[in-house]
Amino acid sequence: MHASRLSRRAVLAGTAAAAAAVSLPPAQGVAQAATAPAQSGYRWRNAVQGGTGFITGVLFHPSVQGLAYLRTDIGGAYRWDERSGRWIPLTDHIGWDDWNLLGVEAMAVDPAHPDRVYLSLGTYAQPWAGNGAVLRSEDRGATWRRTDLTVKLGANEDGRGCGERLLVDPRDSDTLWLGTRHDGLLKSTDRGATWNAASFPATPGATGQGITLLVAAGRSVYAGWGDSDGTAGKPNLYRTSDGTTWEAVPGQPTGSAAKVPVRAAYDRHTRELYVTYADAPGPNGQSDGSVHKLRTADGKWSEVTPVRPGGATSDGGTDSFGYGGVAVDARHPGTVVVSTNNRWALVDTLYRTTDGGRSWTSLKDEAVLDVSETPYLKWGGDKPKFGWWIQAVGLDPYDSRHVVHGTGATLYGTRDLKHWAPQIRGVEEASVRQLISPPSGEAHLLSGCGDIGVMYHERLTASPSRGMASNPVFGTATGLSLAPAKPSYVVRAGWGDNGNGAFSNDGGRTWAPFEAQPSVARSAPGPIATNADGSVLLWSFGTANPGYRSADNGAVWSEVASFPKGAVPVADPVDPTRFYAFDTTTGTLFAATDSGRTFTARATGLNSGDTEFQLVAAPGRSGDLWLSLKGNGLYRSTDGGGTFTKVAGCRSSYTLGFGKAAEGASYPAIYMVGATESVTAVYRSDDEAKSWTRINDDRHQWGWIGAAITGDPRVHGRVYIATNGRGVQYGEPAR
């Protein structure tokens, strides 16, 4: 479902109301800020995984050597710091209520004012999502001012690799253009403080693409239009020469291979505009595409497509793909790099030309890839891929052999056009679902994530040397559980082509698949739990299926009809015969005292019907349960779920975890994402939830962080937080 489009009157009224921009706190504006103590007295860092998400845009500043910006679909924006060789996160200040703004639709720089940078934010354009916003900075993203829009943007929707959709006008640095998906073209004449609807000749359609790109070519501005069907008489490329009147560009290419203009780049030496096209916006669903250039001096078009899709592959298939990124060499006329996209049969590549597109060379063919810094890019195999979902391509204006391209998981870079390695330090974009901090062993952290499965973090400061957990490899992890009395035993579940469950006897270093699995596991793998000593497993498979139990390490599974469908199984950390499950449909706590064979109802009437909750068991104690019920607060049971009492002082609770007790304390430290008053934040209690201390601050919020939190059972004060787009954040008291 696409968001309903607003009328032009509504756009005008809304942006006028938002004219008073909101000042935001400083972002992590210098290289050292990632390790400097926060205002809360905590030092916050990423547990290094290394990228792991879709890089949707990269932008070298045309006027400053060593300055570049990067955007992601759900994990914010970054600035390259040449001195430290790292990307600096710029949007970690975005808080819980503004989670939808952590997706970056587009970015823009001002060639005439190197310290200015602009971001358009908004992850989803659906009716349930909030409106977009524009951030503007005068100090390269160290601080921001914000203007809220009355339109929705879609940084994590189809077409998110197109662009850029935001542009500083080449004639006037005070004027900015913003292309939207459903509401046409917006214009600002006060450097992004206020926005008004601009006259534009195309009418938004139902595709949710609208304006796909904005690019300056000399003193003119060109706009790509994604709602055309690519046929004659329905143009998809427009331009303005005076900043007021837009016209369709004459002679533009048509047909399915030129249906959607994806990206464009201007060669100022030859006065030629290069445009990549595809039959769909991508990153998925493309099967045809082309590359064309427009000689802006006389309006002549030429097709310069390196390889046309549609050829045969060695296995009898079809070589289908579109074209994505494009970048021109600022120093050498006619030198251009373009990328293929969605080319799964032969693997995507970059093509480079030095003669204006008359001949091209595939950079993949001679590429030497070194992924030793981020081994997960081998995807459980021996060789990494050169790329996929390549729609972000950058060419350093001060170094013609420095080329970068984004993929669905990293940013590759080269300095010699042959040797490539991830240029990703500082970027962490994983959507994290599960966290375990073992009480003993080599690793202090195991993480379960979307797309990259489970990782074993033997160090927090380097990408896991073993990469993704393999045997089998999962895409997205759905469950992760450790046996408290036997912490070397860990189980995991997830989406995979070669099995959906596995166990480890060495704390998660190595894995073996379950000997068997229920038939529903392949289509609906859900959360899994092991009991205290690792002798029994419970596996949940969604609201349409019963739970299943195994008492022989996954060799045989039996249906547990009394297990509430879709519930998350929780094991008692002390008594191996006890399991718990919370039924969100009825608000009932179920418990089993026979090693998970039968579940019976205990406490009832606990926030019935709310599907978002978390039930956790306090370590080292039997029957000590804590239930987070979002805005209804936090509840505790000390009798195995027979009764629950609301915890005073918690207005809301979203996720809860435990860590090593404070010195002199008898109860584990409690960590919570929730609110004691009005602010949803990260809190710690060292006195059994009698009092709470906020341990993050306004510079470290990371959007939505409600999936998981856990303390370290070996280090008091250390906490790990699962984010939805900023990886695993971990904090420690500044000492």
Side-chain angles (χ1 to χ4, degrees):
M1 296 286 291
H2 292 287
S4 58
R5 295 183 295 278
L6 300 177
S7 67
R8 179 172 299 178
R9 179 176 298 176
V11 172
L12 290 169
T15 49
V22 180
S23 293
L24 295 178
Q28 294 179 338
V30 295
Q32 292 80 8
T35 58
Q39 298 170 359
S40 62
Y42 255 63
R43 187 188 307 271
W44 292 99
R45 288 166 282 190
N46 267 114
V48 176
Q49 292 171 300
T52 74
F54 186 22
I55 308 302
T56 52
V58 61
L59 185 62
F60 284 100
H61 199 287
S63 307
V64 181
Q65 187 171 359
L67 178 60
Y69 295 91
L70 176 153
R71 65 176 167 97
T72 66
D73 51 2
I74 65 170
Y78 296 79
R79 185 190 69 244
W80 178 253
D81 184 80
E82 185 75 8
R83 181 178 56 180
S84 65
R86 296 180 62 82
W87 293 95
I88 307 302
L90 301 179
T91 48
D92 282 355
H93 61 270
I94 291 174
W96 179 274
D97 292 337
D98 288 326
W99 66 267
N100 191 54
L101 299 183
L102 207 58
V104 184
E105 179 90 293
M107 53 190 177
V109 297
D110 187 342
H113 298 86
D115 292 337
R116 294 179 185 172
V117 60
Y118 303 89
L119 304 175
S120 62
L121 310 178
T123 311
Y124 298 104
Q126 308 304 315
W128 42 262
N131 292 332
V134 172
L135 298 187
R136 61 194 192 278
S137 174
E138 300 280 345
D139 51 17
R140 304 186 185 186
T143 60
W144 297 96
R145 289 178 66 80
R146 166 177 157 183
T147 295
D148 291 321
L149 303 174
T150 60
V151 303
K152 298 177 186 296
L153 306 180
N156 194 36
E157 300 197 349
D158 286 349
R160 57 193 182 275
C162 295
E164 295 295 323
R165 290 177 164 98
L166 183 63
L167 180 71
V168 176
D169 191 282
R171 298 174 300 273
D172 178 10
S173 290
D174 289 344
T175 297
L176 274 73
W177 301 93
L178 173 61
T180 74
R181 292 170 175 266
H182 299 281
D183 301 280
L185 183 66
L186 304 184
K187 183 178 181 180
S188 172
T189 57
D190 53 11
R191 301 208 300 270
T194 60
W195 293 86
N196 296 289
S199 176
F200 195 75
T203 302
T207 69
Q209 295 308 309
I211 294 172
T212 58
L213 66 87
L214 292 165
V215 63
R219 295 177 62 82
S220 296
V221 174
Y222 288 76
W225 186 251
D227 283 348
S228 171
D229 63 5
T231 58
K234 295 184 178 180
N236 54 30
L237 192 68
Y238 296 84
R239 71 182 172 203
T240 181
S241 300
D242 59 9
T244 301
T245 304
W246 290 82
E247 63 176 354
V249 179
Q252 61 186 268
T254 60
S256 65
K259 181 177 178 181
V260 179
V262 178
R263 285 187 173 268
Y266 181 63
D267 188 333
R268 60 184 176 86
H269 298 288
T270 64
R271 297 174 66 186
E272 292 173 321
L273 181 71
Y274 291 82
V275 186
T276 57
Y277 290 92
D279 58 346
N284 287 317
Q286 295 176 337
S287 60
D288 199 3
S290 60
V291 182
H292 297 258
K293 70 176 181 179
L294 169 65
R295 197 162 63 196
T296 60
D298 60 11
K300 181 181 178 181
W301 282 92
S302 302
E303 181 172 358
V304 291
T305 306
V307 174
R308 283 301 300 266
T313 60
S314 59
D315 61 359
T318 301
D319 183 24
S320 61
F321 58 91
Y323 280 91
V326 57
V328 300
D329 191 329
R331 294 176 172 266
H332 296 91
T335 297
V336 184
V337 177
V338 300
S339 72
T340 65
N341 186 67
N342 205 48
R343 193 182 197 183
W344 296 104
L346 298 183
V347 182
D348 280 300
T349 186
L350 301 185
Y351 287 106
R352 181 174 182 263
T353 180
T354 58
D355 56 14
R358 289 188 294 274
S359 62
W360 297 85
T361 300
S362 171
L363 298 183
K364 178 190 68 176
D365 296 347
E366 301 296 326
V368 177
L369 297 180
D370 177 5
V371 298
S372 56
E373 190 167 315
T374 51
Y376 77 90
L377 287 170
K378 294 181 180 179
W379 305 107
D382 297 326
K383 295 182 179 180
K385 290 183 178 180
F386 183 77
W388 67 101
W389 282 15
I390 307 178
Q391 295 188 291
V393 175
L395 206 166
D396 191 336
Y398 293 87
D399 181 355
S400 298
R401 299 172 73 80
H402 181 199
V403 180
V404 297
H405 69 275
T407 76
T410 195
L411 181 79
Y412 279 119
T414 182
R415 298 279 181 171
D416 61 5
L417 303 180
K418 179 177 181 180
H419 296 87
W420 300 77
Q423 190 176 327
I424 203 71
R425 290 182 185 176
V427 177
E428 300 291 346
E429 200 196 347
S431 175
V432 185
R433 314 296 178 82
Q434 303 94 23
L435 295 172
I436 289 178
S437 184
S440 60
E442 175 188 40
H444 278 251
L445 179 67
L446 303 178
S447 62
C449 304
D451 298 330
I452 57 170
V454 170
M455 287 192 175
Y456 175 91
H457 303 257
E458 62 269 77
R459 288 193 297 158
L460 299 176
T461 55
S463 185
S465 64
R466 308 184 73 85
M468 301 167 58
S470 58
N471 197 25
V473 170
F474 293 159
T476 292
T478 60
L480 185 62
S481 180
L482 174 147
K486 187 183 177 182
S488 61
Y489 184 76
V490 190
V491 294
R492 62 185 173 96
W495 293 93
D497 295 331
N498 300 297
N500 302 92
F503 67 92
S504 172
N505 282 317
D506 56 13
R509 282 179 56 84
T510 61
W511 298 86
F514 295 147
E515 185 177 326
Q517 64 181 33
S519 60
V520 296
R522 185 174 179 84
S523 60
I528 193 169
T530 175
N531 66 345
D533 62 8
S535 62
V536 176
L537 305 178
L538 275 182
W539 201 351
S540 180
F541 299 102
T543 57
N545 304 296
Y548 282 79
R549 175 184 183 273
S550 175
D552 53 10
N553 202 34
V556 177
W557 295 87
S558 57
E559 180 180 316
V560 182
S562 57
F563 182 84
K565 293 181 178 180
V568 177
V570 175
D572 191 280
V574 175
D575 186 346
T577 68
R578 290 176 177 252
F579 282 94
Y580 311 98
F582 182 66
D583 183 354
T584 61
T585 303
T586 62
T588 302
L589 191 286
F590 285 80
T593 58
D594 57 359
S595 299
R597 293 179 179 85
T598 56
F599 282 78
T600 57
R602 304 209 71 192
T604 61
L606 296 166
N607 194 35
S608 174
D610 195 335
T611 59
E612 294 186 37
F613 77 98
Q614 188 185 73
L615 178 70
V616 293
R621 290 154 175 80
S622 183
D624 189 352
L625 306 177
W626 297 73
L627 182 62
S628 295
L629 291 177
K630 291 180 58 181
N632 286 332
L634 178 65
Y635 291 76
R636 183 186 183 187
S637 171
T638 56
D639 59 4
T643 59
F644 278 86
T645 302
K646 189 170 186 177
V647 177
C650 287
R651 184 180 64 84
S652 63
S653 179
Y654 296 91
T655 183
L656 192 86
F658 299 90
K660 184 178 181 179
E663 185 175 354
S666 60
Y667 199 83
I670 307 174
Y671 299 91
M672 179 182 72
V673 175
T676 57
E677 294 181 356
S678 59
V679 178
T680 300
V682 185
Y683 294 87
R684 189 185 82 209
S685 175
D686 289 326
D687 57 7
E688 212 165 335
K690 295 180 179 67
S691 63
W692 298 89
T693 300
R694 183 182 177 185
I695 58 174
N696 73 325
D697 62 17
D698 289 347
R699 292 192 297 121
H700 302 85
Q701 299 195 80
W702 318 290
W704 188 81
I705 51 175
I709 188 171
T710 187
D712 193 309
R714 291 176 270 179
V715 182
H716 174 255
R718 182 186 289 174
V719 60
Y720 306 95
I721 301 172
T723 76
N724 186 41
R726 280 288 288 122
V728 179
Q729 299 287 336
Y730 76 98
E732 297 176 301
R735 305 186 189 280

